[in-house]
Amino acid sequence: MSQEELLVLIRKKDDRAFTHLYDMYSKSLFSVINILVKNREEAEDVLQEVFVKIWKNIDTYSESKGRFYTWILNIARNTSIDKLRSKNFNNTQKNLSSDNFVNLLDDSNKLTNRIDSIGIQEFVKKLKPKCIEIIDLLFFKGYTQQEASEELAMPLGTIKTQNRNCINDLRNYLKI
């Protein structure tokens, strides 16, 4: 079955077409989702959500705007990001049992060594203390700018401006 035929059948809500669509794309979409979400069970839930969105929103896809695979890949990516930003997901990450932290010190040292092996840690240490704090939260700990703003009790606009200035300082150190 060609992709064009498949799209026609999906738009007609043909169950067999949906099964074929799932068989064609589920593995590649799951791989992308799992890389982003980093939790197999959550990734499976997101994959299911993605296929429901594809099924419900197939009429919004236009061949003239891009490839079908790119369209469904964007749905998968955006749904994964939505999942990561959701309060429920964040709360489940905060309430992990102590078993999950057995190797925390070893893993932490490995991460520090990996960051340091590319030399970026030494350049970051040369920045102003506030820059070190902001870059640590935004880049090394994965905070959003809003979360960093709340953590540091600073206005969001200030975080954005200081982040930009700190990155420029880092560029100057790196001579980029």
Side-chain angles (χ1 to χ4, degrees):
M1 180 182 312
S2 74
Q3 186 171 311
E4 292 78 25
E5 293 170 331
L6 180 64
L7 289 173
V8 168
L9 292 173
I10 292 172
R11 284 188 173 114
K12 291 181 180 178
K13 305 298 183 196
D14 183 294
D15 292 338
R16 289 175 297 145
F18 184 77
T19 302
H20 191 68
L21 174 75
Y22 186 86
D23 292 342
M24 285 177 66
Y25 296 109
S26 62
K27 288 181 183 175
S28 60
L29 292 179
F30 180 77
S31 296
V32 170
I33 294 166
N34 198 32
I35 288 169
L36 292 169
V37 176
K38 295 180 178 82
N39 178 317
R40 185 170 182 81
E41 290 176 13
E42 293 290 341
E44 290 169 354
D45 290 345
V46 171
L47 181 66
Q48 182 178 356
E49 222 176 299
V50 166
F51 275 98
V52 169
K53 286 181 179 182
I54 292 169
W55 185 253
K56 287 182 176 180
N57 299 312
I58 191 66
D59 293 330
T60 64
Y61 169 68
S62 170
E63 290 88 356
S64 64
K65 292 183 180 177
R67 293 178 41 210
F68 179 68
Y69 183 72
T70 304
W71 183 71
I72 63 173
L73 191 60
N74 281 330
I75 292 173
R77 182 183 161 278
N78 292 340
T79 305
S80 298
I81 291 170
D82 290 346
K83 180 62 144 183
L84 290 172
R85 290 181 177 168
S86 73
K87 283 185 179 180
N88 187 30
F89 183 79
N90 287 328
N91 287 339
T92 61
Q93 299 303 303
K94 290 177 184 173
N95 296 324
L96 296 174
S97 72
S98 61
D99 295 339
N100 291 317
F101 299 100
V102 171
N103 297 319
L104 182 63
L105 292 175
D106 290 339
D107 292 344
S108 166
N109 290 334
K110 288 177 188 170
L111 176 62
T112 303
N113 290 337
R114 276 188 292 178
I115 292 168
D116 199 33
S117 69
I118 61 173
I120 210 76
Q121 194 80 11
E122 291 305 311
F123 289 104
V124 171
K125 287 179 183 176
K126 293 179 182 179
L127 296 173
K128 297 176 230 164
K130 190 52 78 177
C131 285
I132 294 171
E133 201 171 16
I134 290 171
I135 288 177
D136 182 55
L137 290 176
L138 294 176
F139 296 99
F140 297 127
K141 293 184 178 170
Y143 281 46
T144 64
Q145 290 180 335
Q146 181 65 44
E147 291 169 336
S149 166
E150 292 166 5
E151 179 75 19
L152 299 173
M154 296 171 68
L156 180 60
T158 303
I159 291 289
K160 290 180 178 185
T161 301
Q162 286 195 1
N163 180 41
R164 185 173 48 252
N165 293 339
C166 294
I167 294 299
N168 285 335
D169 290 346
L170 191 56
R171 281 187 182 128
N172 289 335
Y173 286 129
L174 295 170
K175 295 178 174 90
I176 297 177

